[in-house]
């Protein structure tokens, strides 16, 4: 978080019922004050796919729920993912019940292409839910990634300059099938 001298203070007026609901939200989420909660909400809003530039590189997820009994839907979803293999890092498939599957696709690439992939998934008959959620990709990794693609190897240049042990998880850069 920025130092106090880097903060800009401003006033915000809320209708009483709305601020009461906001205070309840703050308490339920465990925030220490309104400012922390408000900053998080602003950050979340600014990371909405509609708020970012189409040509921007981002990373995130496409989450979908679908009825796997719909004729050819699992095959079509797999084909869409294969067509977008350069933007897909990994995926996870979960059987929710006898009829429904949940799939989480980790993505990294151009926002316009990811929006297109999301839209193609969302309109498939039998897809009950599909949402794209993204965040920024830092400039150094973005430049290394672009250079590696120019060199013909999309999986090179993704070194994060740290080992998995530094923050307790590993990175996977190939699609799971």
């Amino acid at each position: 978080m920025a130092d106090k001298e880097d903060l800009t203070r401003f006033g915000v007026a809320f209708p009483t019922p709305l601020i009461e609901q906001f205070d309840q939200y703050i308490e339920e989420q465990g925030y220490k004050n309104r400012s922390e909660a408000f900053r998080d909400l602003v950050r979340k809003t600014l990371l909405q796919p509609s708020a970012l530039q189409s040509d921007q590189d981002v990373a995130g997820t496409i989450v979908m729920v679908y009825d796997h009994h719909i004729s050819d839907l699992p095959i079509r979803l797999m084909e869409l993912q294969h067509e977008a293999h350069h933007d897909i890092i990994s995926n996870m498939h979960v059987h929710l019940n006898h009829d429904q599957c949940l799939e989480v696709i980790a993505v990294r690439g151009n926002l316009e292409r990811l929006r297109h992939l999301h839209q193609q998934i969302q309109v498939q008959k039998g897809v009950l839910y599909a949402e794209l959620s993204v965040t920024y990709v830092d400039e150094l990794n973005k430049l290394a990634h672009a250079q590696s693609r120019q060199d013909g190897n999309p999986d090179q240049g993704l070194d994060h300059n740290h080992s998995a042990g530094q923050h307790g998880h590993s990175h996977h850069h190939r699609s799971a099938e």
Side-chain angles (χ1 to χ4, degrees), residues 4-177:
K4 287 202 184 262
E5 57 268 6
D6 292 330
L7 297 177
T8 300
R9 296 188 185 280
F10 66 97
V12 178
F14 280 81
T16 300
L18 184 59
I19 198 64
E20 288 171 352
Q21 289 177 338
F22 188 56
D23 287 342
Q24 180 67 34
Y25 169 82
I26 288 169
E27 184 178 329
E28 289 170 0
Q29 297 300 313
Y31 287 104
K32 294 178 183 170
N33 57 56
R34 290 177 178 164
S35 292
E36 288 179 5
F38 191 71
R39 283 190 292 267
D40 278 355
L41 291 172
V42 169
R43 285 185 199 105
K44 182 178 179 182
T45 299
L46 294 175
L47 286 174
Q48 292 296 315
S50 60
L52 300 173
Q53 299 295 320
S54 291
D55 63 347
Q56 195 165 357
D57 280 345
V58 296
T61 59
I62 297 174
V63 177
M64 69 175 128
V65 175
Y66 64 92
D67 183 340
H68 77 97
H69 290 298
I70 300 294
S71 180
D72 295 330
L73 180 58
I75 293 168
R76 181 65 186 135
L77 292 172
M78 189 183 317
E79 287 172 352
L80 288 171
Q81 291 182 53
H82 279 276
E83 291 168 10
H85 72 277
H86 290 298
D87 293 324
I88 294 178
I89 299 168
S90 182
N91 69 359
M92 178 179 63
H93 182 95
V94 178
H95 302 278
L96 295 176
N97 55 42
H98 184 264
D99 299 322
Q100 296 178 337
C101 295
L102 166 77
E103 196 154 334
V104 180
I105 307 168
V107 293
R108 180 182 179 147
N110 175 271
L111 179 57
E112 187 171 347
R113 286 193 317 265
L114 298 178
R115 283 179 178 156
H116 181 70
L117 174 60
H118 168 252
Q119 186 271 336
Q120 286 181 304
I121 290 169
Q122 187 171 341
V123 300
Q124 298 298 312
K125 180 181 178 186
V127 172
L128 307 170
Y129 171 82
E131 183 175 351
L132 171 64
S133 176
V134 298
T135 190
Y136 299 102
V137 175
D138 70 64
E139 292 300 314
L140 291 176
N141 284 332
K142 183 173 123 177
L143 292 173
H145 187 66
Q147 180 60 47
S148 67
R149 284 191 175 195
Q150 287 177 351
D151 294 341
N153 190 346
D155 292 329
Q156 294 298 318
L158 295 177
D159 179 15
H160 300 291
N161 296 321
H162 59 258
S163 68
Q166 285 179 296
H167 53 219
H169 66 273
S170 62
H171 295 272
H172 301 281
H173 299 290
R174 292 220 182 263
S175 296
E177 301 196 36

